[in-house]
Amino acid sequence: MNIEVSGELSGILEMLKQMALFETRIAEMYGVCASTWKEDGSFWLDIWRDELRHARHIEQMIDIIRKKPEHFQAGRPFNVHALATVVKDIAKKTEMIKAGEIAKDQFLFIAQSFEQGYIEDRYGEIVKTDDVEYQTLMQEVVSDTQHHKDKIIQQIIDRAENRGYIKT
C-alpha cells in the first residue's frame, strides 16, 4: 500500500534518488578503474560491487519511505543540486580515466576524496526514523563507505612505501 508522501518527504525522496545515481555512477567509475588498471582489478571490483549494492539499498529505502511515510520525517537538510554536481564530476573523471588523462596514483586521491565527502555529508542523517529496515540499509551504506575510504588510504600508503617515499 502506497500512501501519499508529504512535500517534505518528496524532497527526501529526490535526494535519495540522487544518492542512488551517485552510487551507480561511482560504481561505473570504479569498473573503469578495474579495466584500466588490471593489476589492481580485484581491488576496484570489490568496491564496484559494494557501490552497486548501495544503489539497490537506496532504491529499497525509497520504497520503504513510500510504503510507510508516516514513519519518516526530514532530518538534516541536503542540497540536491550539490550532489548532482558531484555526480557530473564523477562522470567527467570516468571519461578522463578512459582517455588516460588521470594516473592511478592521482586517482587514488580523487577516489578517497569522493568517499570522504560521502561520509562528511552524513547522508544517514537526511531522514529521521525508527524504521529498522531503513536504518539497517543506510548503516550498511555508511559503514561500507568508511571501509572504502580506509582501503583507498591503505592503497595510497602501500604505493608510497613501495616507491620508498615513506618508511614504516
Side-chain angles (χ1 to χ4, degrees):
M1 171 171 100
N2 279 348
I3 301 172
E4 188 66 34
V5 295
S6 68
E8 180 179 82
L9 286 181
S10 293
I12 291 169
L13 292 175
E14 185 56 38
M15 185 65 189
L16 288 170
K17 286 177 191 173
Q18 280 296 321
M19 287 172 60
L21 182 59
F22 169 89
E23 297 289 352
T24 301
R25 294 294 181 257
I26 207 161
E28 291 169 0
M29 182 175 63
Y30 291 148
V32 168
C33 291
S35 62
T36 301
W37 300 305
K38 292 180 183 3
E39 66 279 8
D40 296 323
S42 63
F43 172 81
W44 294 114
L45 288 176
D46 284 346
I47 299 173
W48 169 80
R49 273 188 285 280
D50 287 347
E51 300 296 357
L52 289 177
R53 190 177 70 252
H54 295 169
R56 289 190 305 273
H57 281 3
I58 294 168
E59 292 296 333
Q60 287 177 280
M61 291 159 45
I62 290 169
D63 289 340
I64 292 167
I65 292 173
R66 284 188 176 134
K67 290 176 184 169
K68 304 183 275 185
E70 68 277 7
H71 295 276
F72 296 87
Q73 61 181 2
R76 185 170 180 252
F78 281 84
N79 186 335
V80 165
H81 302 293
L83 186 55
T85 300
V86 173
V87 169
K88 287 179 187 171
D89 189 38
I90 291 168
K92 179 180 175 187
K93 297 290 190 282
T94 302
E95 292 307 312
M96 291 173 73
I97 294 165
K98 288 178 184 177
E101 297 172 4
I102 298 178
K104 180 172 32 175
D105 288 346
Q106 178 187 11
F107 180 74
L108 285 166
F109 288 98
I110 293 168
Q112 187 269 331
S113 175
F114 281 130
E115 298 291 341
Q116 181 65 36
Y118 185 90
I119 294 166
E120 285 179 356
D121 282 345
R122 297 186 301 251
Y123 287 148
E125 299 175 9
I126 68 168
V127 173
K128 292 181 185 177
T129 185
D130 291 331
D131 187 273
V132 175
E133 184 181 11
Y134 179 95
Q135 288 177 338
T136 301
L137 292 167
M138 181 57 81
Q139 183 54 45
E140 186 176 329
V141 171
V142 171
S143 176
D144 283 352
T145 301
Q146 178 64 49
H147 182 66
H148 295 167
K149 185 189 79 136
D150 293 344
K151 283 176 65 170
I152 291 166
I153 289 171
Q154 189 58 54
Q155 188 84 341
I156 292 168
I157 292 168
D158 291 349
R159 291 181 65 75
E161 286 176 347
N162 289 341
R163 291 195 168 103
Y165 298 144
I166 59 173
K167 298 192 188 304
T168 56

